[in-house]
Amino acid sequence: MKAFAITGLKETGYVEKDERPVGAGEVRLKVDYVGFCGSDLNTYRGLNPLVRLPRVPGHEISATIAEVGAGVPDAWKVGQRVAVSPYTNCGMCTSCLKGRPNCCRYNETLGVQRDGAMQLSVVVPWTKLFDASGLSAEHVALVEPLTVGGHAADRSGAMEDDVAVVIGCGAVGLGAVLGLAQKNVRRVIAVDVDDEKLALAREFGATDVVNSAKGDLHAALGEMTDGRGPNVVVEAVGLPATFRAAVDEVAFAGTVVYIGYAKAPVEYETKLFVQKELDIRGSRNATPQNFRRVIDFARRGLFPIGKMLTKAYDFSEAGKALADWNAAPGKVCRFLVKVS
């Protein structure tokens, strides 16, 4: 079976992999589309410390059930379109025991710590499936990054009277905008350096936008909040400058949520942590509830999911997709690869 792999620094190719049998409680999936994530781009660039090469990428998955193993509930049938949670959880670490398996200490994400779905078929436990009937195959591949942003919106604890800021309007940031908007947060301010992404953020529920490349972010947020700052800041970029900006701009007694992580050390003015009495929270992966919620929002047409798609490539062009993204990262929301 053919699989696409990142084999070295900015090097890719195709490898042969054996199809493993379907065990009890498992299903075989025919992979339809896979989305490339920022973590895949970092792997391609040699900047992902969690990955050992060669690695088959792919954790944003649209698939069709091709085979059902013993013990799988009757609700899962051959030919059914599904989204897939790409994370593992051990069930025994402190995260799992607290009911937060999305941040399992021993998590292995498809395409990161283990080979992903950029291959013709994969075998997964049925418990990782989500019914996606009614959505197109392309749209299903866009679900997972939105769930990650949606989980960050949940972690923020934002309430209806709050003003929330999302820094970064890539696919994950759009998920945060969507999640906050669907919580009826009073004001959701999207921040990015690209006007096209900011226009899309409005369609996902942002009430206001700020292009931080064209003006002073602090001044803009101050004007919008009567000098108080936003109650919540969600950082969805992963740069030292935006990590610091989240703490600088959030209001006193506010909450900062970090989705990504900076690829270089970050220096803070730590007195703000204490003076503002901040809640600073990480947000990792997504929960089953996040998957079901995004799929439901998409079915109901609450946001234009298809507008996230920058371009779709054939399986034979997967390496070109990564090279194109590497050449112009700021203009990409999501690239998909049509696997089969």
Side-chain angles (χ1 to χ4, degrees):
M1 173 180 65
K2 182 181 286 188
F4 171 79
I6 299 171
T7 57
L9 178 61
K10 297 182 182 179
E11 295 179 351
T12 62
Y14 293 87
V15 297
E16 287 295 323
K17 292 180 66 70
D18 293 332
E19 281 192 339
R20 74 173 181 85
V22 177
E26 294 181 326
V27 299
R28 185 183 308 282
L29 301 176
K30 177 180 74 70
V31 180
D32 297 319
Y33 283 85
V34 173
F36 271 131
C37 172
S39 63
D40 300 319
L41 181 59
N42 283 328
T43 299
Y44 178 74
R45 290 171 164 176
L47 299 176
N48 193 334
L50 301 178
V51 172
R52 290 185 177 182
L53 301 181
R55 176 64 72 220
V56 176
H59 62 266
E60 300 176 2
I61 305 165
S62 169
T64 304
I65 297 177
E67 183 181 350
V68 177
V72 174
D74 292 340
W76 302 105
K77 302 182 184 301
V78 171
Q80 187 173 358
R81 179 165 292 156
V82 294
V84 183
S85 173
Y87 326 118
T88 65
N89 52 281
C90 70
M92 295 301 294
C93 70
T94 54
S95 303
C96 290
L97 293 174
K98 280 191 172 185
R100 293 166 62 180
N102 58 289
C103 59
C104 172
R105 179 175 180 176
Y106 303 106
N107 167 68
E108 292 186 350
T109 300
L110 285 171
V112 183
Q113 293 94 343
R114 55 192 174 125
D115 280 346
M118 200 72 78
Q119 51 188 309
L120 298 182
S121 71
V122 292
V123 175
V124 300
W126 72 265
T127 53
K128 299 298 182 181
L129 303 182
F130 300 91
D131 176 42
S133 56
L135 299 183
S136 71
E138 295 96 328
H139 291 178
V140 175
L142 300 169
V143 165
E144 193 271 348
L146 295 173
T147 69
V148 174
H151 181 60
D154 291 346
R155 290 281 291 153
S156 76
M159 304 181 73
E160 290 186 5
D161 289 338
D162 285 336
V163 175
V165 166
V166 177
I167 303 177
C169 296
V172 172
L174 289 174
V177 169
L178 175 66
L180 290 163
Q182 292 301 319
K183 292 178 183 295
N184 296 317
V185 173
R186 176 166 63 91
R187 202 166 186 178
V188 181
I189 304 169
V191 177
D192 203 279
V193 297
D194 185 90
D195 286 332
E196 291 182 5
K197 289 183 178 180
L198 290 171
L200 185 55
R202 283 193 181 276
E203 296 192 63
F204 275 64
T207 57
D208 305 270
V209 299
V210 176
N211 187 322
S212 57
K214 295 182 176 180
D216 184 84
L217 177 61
H218 179 72
L221 295 181
E223 183 177 349
M224 291 178 177
T225 62
D226 296 323
R228 296 177 177 178
N231 309 99
V232 168
V233 176
V234 177
E235 198 282 342
V237 178
L239 292 175
T242 50
F243 263 59
R244 287 189 294 268
V247 169
D248 290 343
E249 300 303 335
V250 73
F252 277 66
T255 300
V256 172
V257 181
Y258 291 121
I259 304 177
Y261 53 87
K263 310 308 183 290
V266 181
E267 293 185 359
Y268 284 100
E269 183 59 73
T270 56
K271 70 180 183 182
L272 296 179
F273 296 9
V274 177
Q275 288 179 337
K276 291 186 176 183
E277 197 174 60
L278 299 180
D279 288 331
I280 299 177
R281 301 176 179 177
S283 182
R284 186 180 184 192
N285 299 333
T287 67
Q289 181 183 23
N290 296 131
F291 276 88
R292 296 186 186 101
R293 188 183 297 154
V294 169
I295 290 169
D296 176 60
F297 291 165
R299 283 182 177 140
R300 292 160 60 192
L302 299 184
F303 66 102
I305 187 170
K307 290 189 177 182
M308 293 171 58
L309 176 56
T310 307
K311 186 175 180 179
Y313 292 78
D314 289 334
F315 191 40
S316 62
E317 300 177 307
K320 183 178 186 303
L322 280 174
D324 289 350
W325 194 4
N326 180 64
K331 290 298 182 182
V332 176
C333 184
R334 263 308 176 266
F335 281 162
L336 298 185
V337 174
K338 185 177 182 182
V339 179
S340 61

